[in-house]
DNA sequence: TATAATTATCTCGAATTCGAGATAATGAAG
DNA sequence: CTTCATTATCTCGAATTCGAGATAATTATA
């Protein structure tokens, strides 16, 4: 096989990887979404609430960094969660530019009930692989992701 | 280690897999999007055009199945590509419910120019892994994805 | 101190996607 | 042939996300 053909095959392989990656995550996401939907939350709202539940109060700006959405979107999501009484805004006394998002009692109670179930749902959704296969995939995905990120 | 702790660890592993998978694909998608943006196309438009370019004319309904978007979204995307003169609608003579999306000369010329570059861009983006690592990951992702899909 | 640059949040309009339902054509069953 | 179910496309309104830019507070610099 000459170099050109070899290169073409490699390109096909990468393209296939990209497609399979996209499809696999789509399937998983769909299941996770189903798991969350009954709470009246979408994945973004859940992610924000989970962040505050697990990591404590967060400046609104930090939320966007960790959940990877734009600042204008964060405002929107926090608004929604605030309307649902699951979190509230609390101004920072030391820096008046900053607003913290703080989980409410209702939010904590909801997550106490729901988060364990959520984890076990993801466990079931990902049961197509053995534990050691998952560990390897995590490692490889990190390699792949960090490389792409660093470009 | 007792059974409960073991189970907790497994759940953490699945959760981590889900997060790493999401992040890796985000990084890759961002790069791919950059590659396409200069054409004035978003990823969905590109996917639809690519489908018709590589697989020939498609009933509009089939496009939605393959690119995984809702029928109402397909109408919107095809409208946009038609306005850009990259494809056009052609009624099916045998079944008057069906409309084919057909690539135009301009669309073909664009893809002739761009598609090879696109593949090589993805090759570069995915260069964090060796070929045999990619092959393994494809295989494992399929296992994971099919399982989740079948739930 | 005054000025400039940076940071955090928000507003607004646009783009994209979806779901529900409308319309029209086809196929199946009696 | 009529009626009913199915299929393909489209319309419409709502939800979500983004980017550009506004506002206000803070920090750095001359």
């Amino acid at each position: 096989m000459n170099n050109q053909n070899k290169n073409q095959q490699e390109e096909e392989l990468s393209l296939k990887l990209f497609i399979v990656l996209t499809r696999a995550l789509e399937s998983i996401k769909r299941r996770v979404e189903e798991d969350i939907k009954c709470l009246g939350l979408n994945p973004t709202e859940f992610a924000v609430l989970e962040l505050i539940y697990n990591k404590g109060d967060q400046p609104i700006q930090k939320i966007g960094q960790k959940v990877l959405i734009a600042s204008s979107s964060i405002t929107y999501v926090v608004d929604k969660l605030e309307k649902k009484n699951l979190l509230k805004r609390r101004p920072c006394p030391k820096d008046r530019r900053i607003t913290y998002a703080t989980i409410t009692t209702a939010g904590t109670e909801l997550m106490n009930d729901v988060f364990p179930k959520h984890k076990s749902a993801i466990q079931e959704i990902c049961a197509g692989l053995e534990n050691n296969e998952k560990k390897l995939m995590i490692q490889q995905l990190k390699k792949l992701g960090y490389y792409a990120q660093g470009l």
Side-chain angles (χ1 to χ4, degrees), chain A:
Chain A
M1 183 161 45
N2 64 32
N3 271 340
Q4 198 186 340
N5 282 345
K6 196 177 160 194
N7 194 40
Q8 270 185 24
Q9 282 209 341
E10 287 175 5
E11 287 186 353
E12 291 297 336
L13 193 59
S14 293
L15 195 52
K16 179 148 195 174
L17 176 57
F18 177 56
I19 291 168
V20 173
L21 194 52
T22 304
R23 293 301 164 98
L25 187 56
E26 258 164 12
S27 298
I28 293 173
K29 257 190 184 166
R30 193 161 297 139
R31 298 298 164 205
V32 173
E33 216 159 317
E34 281 169 18
D35 179 55
I36 294 169
K37 198 165 42 190
C38 58
L39 310 175
L41 299 178
N42 68 27
T44 308
E45 292 170 292
F46 187 81
V48 170
L49 195 58
E50 188 202 307
L51 176 69
I52 301 176
Y53 176 72
N54 284 313
K55 302 290 169 73
D57 297 5
Q58 302 283 327
I60 282 178
Q61 217 257 344
K62 293 278 176 205
I63 298 174
Q65 285 167 21
K66 302 204 181 177
V67 183
L68 293 187
I69 56 177
S71 67
S72 48
S73 309
I74 281 294
T75 299
Y76 172 74
V77 175
V78 169
D79 280 351
K80 283 180 61 189
L81 287 169
E82 204 170 22
K83 271 173 202 149
K84 289 172 185 168
N85 197 32
L86 298 172
L87 61 75
K88 55 183 187 226
R89 285 176 163 88
R90 179 171 62 76
C92 172
K94 300 190 177 174
D95 186 336
R96 291 192 300 172
R97 291 171 303 179
I98 295 176
T99 303
Y100 287 105
T102 305
I103 196 165
T104 61
T105 309
T108 304
E109 280 168 5
L110 178 69
M111 289 304 275
N112 282 340
D113 177 35
V114 154
F115 191 60
K117 291 179 194 163
H118 174 69
K119 282 208 290 191
S120 111
I122 288 186
Q123 166 77 355
E124 281 171 36
I125 292 165
C126 294
L129 296 181
E130 303 298 328
N131 280 349
N132 55 348
E133 292 176 316
K134 286 178 195 167
K135 281 179 193 165
L136 178 60
M137 184 173 278
I138 287 171
Q139 185 192 314
Q140 299 290 82
L141 281 169
K142 280 184 180 174
K143 237 202 286 184
L144 186 66
Y146 286 148
Y147 183 88
Q149 196 175 22
L151 283 179

